[in-house]
Each structure stands twice: as C-alpha cells, then as structure tokens.
Amino acid sequence: MLSFSLDAAEKDFLAQQARRSIEAGLAGIAAAETPQPPEGLGGAKSQLRSPLGAFVTLSLNGALRGCIGNIIGRAPLYAVVWDMARAAAFNDPRFPPLTLAEWPRTQLDISVLGPLTPCPKPEAVEVGRHGLVLQYQGRSGVFLPQVPVEQGWDRLASLDNLCGKAGLPPGTWKLPGAQLFWFEAEVFKA
C-alpha cells in the first residue's frame, strides 16, 4: 500500500509540468524558476510540495527514449518532475537529445516513488508492485515496478536482470554484502 496518493488534478498538473518543461527545452528556454502549483491544488493532503522521488520515462513508438529520475526526493515533487522531464528528454546518456520532430510522437510516463527501504527478503518481492535497487561493491542498478512487467520477467528474472543493470553477474543479489532495497510507485501517463 502506497504511503501517499495523488488525485486526478495533481496528476494532471504533474503531466502538464513535465510537458511544459520539455517544450521549454525544445524552444531553448531556460526557466528562471520552476512553475509552482496553484494554491489549494490537491487540498490539505496534497503531495505536490512533498519531497518525493520521481522518474519521467519517454517512449517513442513503444521503445524507451529516455528515463531519468531521483529515487529519493530532495525537493518538492512538482520541481522534481520538472527537472526529471527535462533531463530524460535532453540528458539521458543512452540517447541523443529529443528533437522537435520526435516530440509529437513521444509518450510520457511519470512514476512517483514512495519511500526506499531495505527489502526484508527477496522472496517477498512482488513483480509489478515493487521497484528495486541493488547495491554491491560500488555498483548499483534500479528498476521501476513496471519494468519487469513490461519485459515479461518473473521475480527471479527481475532480480537477475537487476544485477545486469548494475553491471554485475546474475545472482549477485544473493551474495553477502549485496544490498536490496524496494519501493512502490504511482505510475501514470502524462
């Protein structure tokens, strides 16, 4: 169970925030200040100003086109989404910067992360529910909860592929000294 929830208006604001950030980047405009949500949006329990982690994922024709995020929130959620959207579009080292020609065909997903905590036992990991972080000997890898589902992996395949994402051999997650963390996320289209 997530420790927070976003209502439809908050999700809509974050979706607009991500799109405006990328559009400003495409136009070559550097925002002097991150646009803030309107007062009262989301009510008294709004998470928009809470320090939550978030990832923004760009897809083009069903293929990954960029994905950048912060696992731990160190700024208000609305600012994290603004910054991560621009970073995913223009600074993901796996891809060239997004172009104006690609933009109309680009799909965005936003993943807002709950707290990162140690995973008590790998057997408890539920595919599609838990995002994972593996750390071992100075290397680390992260999968959002939706990645194993999209790839058709079961729990063990997810853990072994997480090792590969960290540049480690399969099964490293079982070794003494390997640290496995988990989190949940609210994922929505932008």
Side-chain angles (χ1 to χ4, degrees), residues 74-87:
R74 291 184 173 83
L77 177 59
Y78 73 87
V80 172
V81 169
W82 176 271
D83 293 340
M84 296 306 102
R86 190 170 288 214

Side-chain angles (χ1 to χ4, degrees), residues 38-153:
E39 259 332 291
L41 179 64
K45 295 185 178 189
S46 175
Q47 298 298 315
L48 296 176
R49 289 181 169 79
S50 297
L52 294 171
F55 277 71
V56 176
T57 304
L58 282 66
S59 301
L60 187 61
N61 301 322
L64 181 66
R65 182 59 181 81
C67 182
I68 300 280
N70 284 340
I71 296 169
I72 298 171
R74 291 184 173 83
L77 177 59
Y78 73 87
V80 172
V81 169
W82 176 271
D83 293 340
M84 296 306 102
R86 190 170 288 214
F90 306 112
N91 301 114
D92 187 325
R94 299 170 292 181
F95 302 97
L98 187 72
T99 66
L100 193 54
E102 292 172 313
W103 177 234
R105 298 172 291 134
T106 303
Q107 296 83 43
L108 273 67
D109 287 324
I110 298 173
S111 302
V112 179
L113 280 53
L116 180 71
T117 59
C119 177
K121 56 184 180 179
E123 298 79 23
V125 172
E126 293 179 37
V127 171
R129 177 178 178 190
H130 296 116
L132 298 171
V133 176
L134 174 68
Q135 295 179 340
Y136 184 71
Q137 294 186 343
R139 294 183 176 267
S140 64
V142 60
F143 279 151
L144 296 172
Q146 63 268 33
V147 171
V149 174
E150 293 166 354
Q151 299 300 318
W153 297 331

